[in-house]
Amino acid sequence: MKNFYMLLGAALVSMSVMAGPRTLEGSKAKSFEQKPITAAELRALNPDGGQQVRASRSAEEVITNPTGEKTVYAVSTKSYMSDTFYEMDQAGIIYIDGDDYYMKDPVKGASLGGYAKLTRNGDKLRMDLPQIIYSAEMDGVELSYWVTLMANGTTDPDFNPAPVAAEDNYVEYIIAEDGTITMDIDEDLDGVSYILSLVEGSAMDEWMGYGDTYQQYTVADYELNVAPEGLTWETYGMNDGYYNYIVEIAKDGTDVYFRNFYYVFPDVIIKGTLNSNGSITIPSGQYMGVYEAYSVFVWLLISDANYNIKDATLLYDEASQTYYCSDYTLFWINAAQDYIYYIDYLEYPTFTYQSVEDMNANPIAPYPNDKIDWEYSTQYGAVLWVTPNVNVNGYVLDSTKMSVQLYFDDQLFEAYTDEYAIPEDMDRFPLGGFSSSDGYIYTGNDLIVVYFFFTGFDTIGCQSFYEGSDGVTYASEKVTYYWDDLTLGIINPIDDSKEVASERYFDMQGRAVANPTSGLFVKQTIYTDGTASARKVSIR
């Protein structure tokens, strides 16, 4: 199950299984932790973070899809975050359209996805402030984050900057002949420190504790691998015991090309060499691009079990048509080029050939993995369904050809545009990375998270679908669970087709109760086929 996403408000606490990157148990390898804060994390820090958050209907003010040519930079900053200053190296993105420049996440410690506009005049860029870079609604009240210039007197024992005068509210950058862009801001001028800051609300009076006093953008010269045109790509199912997804492999003489080696970078090519014995060598240190959610460059690093950097060797088993590692091997999705500083990893993966016809079968049935009770938040409930992208024959499915339907009390769930920030009313949700812009519906490679704004139901249900290459829509079993059972970790699906043989009741301490009268109990049902199920019931 993939878990690269951040949920909202209270979900950051109660649905911890969904939040944060995968970590390697007992590993001495350093995981990527000093990353920019996201909008969801900022909302969680807000005292009203548990309230319902939706995309602002006035969010068109935020620049999210700028025009121009995209240029990737290596950015060095002096950034204030988590109550202290850090010197940080990140990836930066600027779109250039004539004299108009659009800088993504201008405060580098806050990854919110919005762009600030700058105007070029000669060798200088000017960012007039304030500019809005994020907007949402919380219970009808607009929540917005802005970039502005602030000042802090050096006599202040705590760093707590205040807004500058309107006529001074801008920042300039100097463009060097080699294209390097450097912030032209004095950290300490006339006893006053200046900082490009993130603030909440257009009043510009609530500093969020994030800002930069120095930025330098240097054009990145890292090169991605390119596969030749006209190759024949074959489909393989990748499995490392945690992830399942489709990887494509093509060969050109002794050159071997992997596409979608890591699911976040579906078009990135990893290159290997075909050896005379049929094995494949994959060099460590290949550049994979920019992980925009974290504003970092990413490389594929490879190591052994002791985290020694090495190249990988994939052996081939002809009987199963599977490539597998010659020894225990870790493939690190890494935020550094020459040492392990990982975002994610693949552990001893295998790659098994499968034809498109092999995938034409029903998906494995979904199952619920986590939930938020309405009683916890008072504003919403939420459920996470795991929707395996594997069919009943064991072949990995292309999640971009899968979809999901949800049910409450056996009624098909429909999401409407007046409740969710979606382009149209929906009752089936595509897997593979769909998200409403308010974050209240999210799908990954093999999961769906849905927030809902109603109560009064007893059961939840789910069914997944796969669009086969033969034009047939293949459906998983439709499964139904009692909502209250999930609180106790009871995950037995309801099966009304079975004949009941006997029923037993237990109190919440696990003791058998012959004649329950009132209170909460666990009801165990024994069926004539020898199977059993359990659920929590309330007797009044």
Side-chain angles (χ1 to χ4, degrees), residues 276-498:
S276 57
N277 64 353
S279 66
I280 298 173
T281 300
I282 301 177
S284 181
Q286 299 187 53
Y287 176 59
M288 298 185 70
V290 176
Y291 203 134
E292 294 195 22
Y294 295 137
S295 298
V296 292
F297 296 105
V298 174
W299 287 266
L300 178 68
L301 260 61
I302 305 171
S303 81
D304 60 19
N306 296 315
Y307 317 118
N308 299 308
I309 303 301
K310 64 161 197 165
D311 295 341
T313 299
L314 298 182
L315 304 179
Y316 185 68
D317 179 71
E318 189 170 354
S320 63
Q321 296 181 288
T322 298
Y323 286 101
Y324 62 96
C325 299
S326 60
D327 54 9
Y328 182 84
T329 305
L330 290 159
F331 294 81
W332 304 96
I333 311 305
N334 210 62
Q337 190 172 8
D338 51 7
Y339 63 93
I340 298 173
Y341 189 38
Y342 71 94
I343 300 170
D344 201 0
Y345 62 91
L346 302 178
E347 184 177 16
Y348 198 71
T350 60
F351 305 85
T352 301
Y353 173 77
Q354 54 186 52
S355 67
V356 292
E357 291 76 20
D358 290 332
M359 293 184 275
N360 293 338
N362 296 333
I364 292 176
Y367 60 90
N369 182 266
D370 207 347
K371 75 169 190 175
I372 293 177
D373 273 311
W374 184 281
E375 290 78 5
Y376 176 87
S377 70
T378 73
Q379 297 288 337
Y380 52 74
V383 62
L384 182 157
W385 285 92
V386 176
T387 53
N389 60 323
V390 177
N391 68 22
V392 293
N393 298 323
Y395 291 102
V396 178
L397 299 177
D398 182 351
S399 61
T400 64
K401 298 178 181 178
M402 294 185 68
S403 58
V404 177
Q405 287 184 328
L406 305 180
Y407 297 84
F408 291 85
D409 281 347
D410 212 33
Q411 296 295 310
L412 180 63
F413 170 72
E414 296 184 72
Y416 299 104
T417 55
D418 59 350
E419 288 187 314
Y420 298 90
I422 50 180
E424 58 185 0
D425 295 344
M426 302 177 67
D427 60 15
R428 184 179 289 194
F429 307 96
L431 292 182
F434 169 80
S435 178
S436 60
S437 58
D438 54 11
Y440 268 75
I441 301 174
Y442 170 87
T443 71
N445 200 51
D446 55 1
L447 59 86
I448 180 170
V449 177
V450 172
Y451 288 73
F452 50 86
F453 312 110
F454 52 83
T455 57
F457 60 90
D458 294 320
T459 66
I460 57 171
C462 186
Q463 187 173 27
S464 62
F465 305 88
Y466 174 72
E467 301 300 328
S469 61
D470 55 1
V472 175
T473 299
Y474 294 89
S476 75
E477 177 189 357
K478 178 187 171 186
V479 290
T480 305
Y481 292 76
Y482 288 108
W483 177 258
D484 285 343
D485 285 354
L486 302 184
T487 304
L488 297 179
I490 300 170
I491 54 171
N492 298 314
I494 300 169
D495 187 351
D496 293 330
S497 66
K498 294 184 178 183

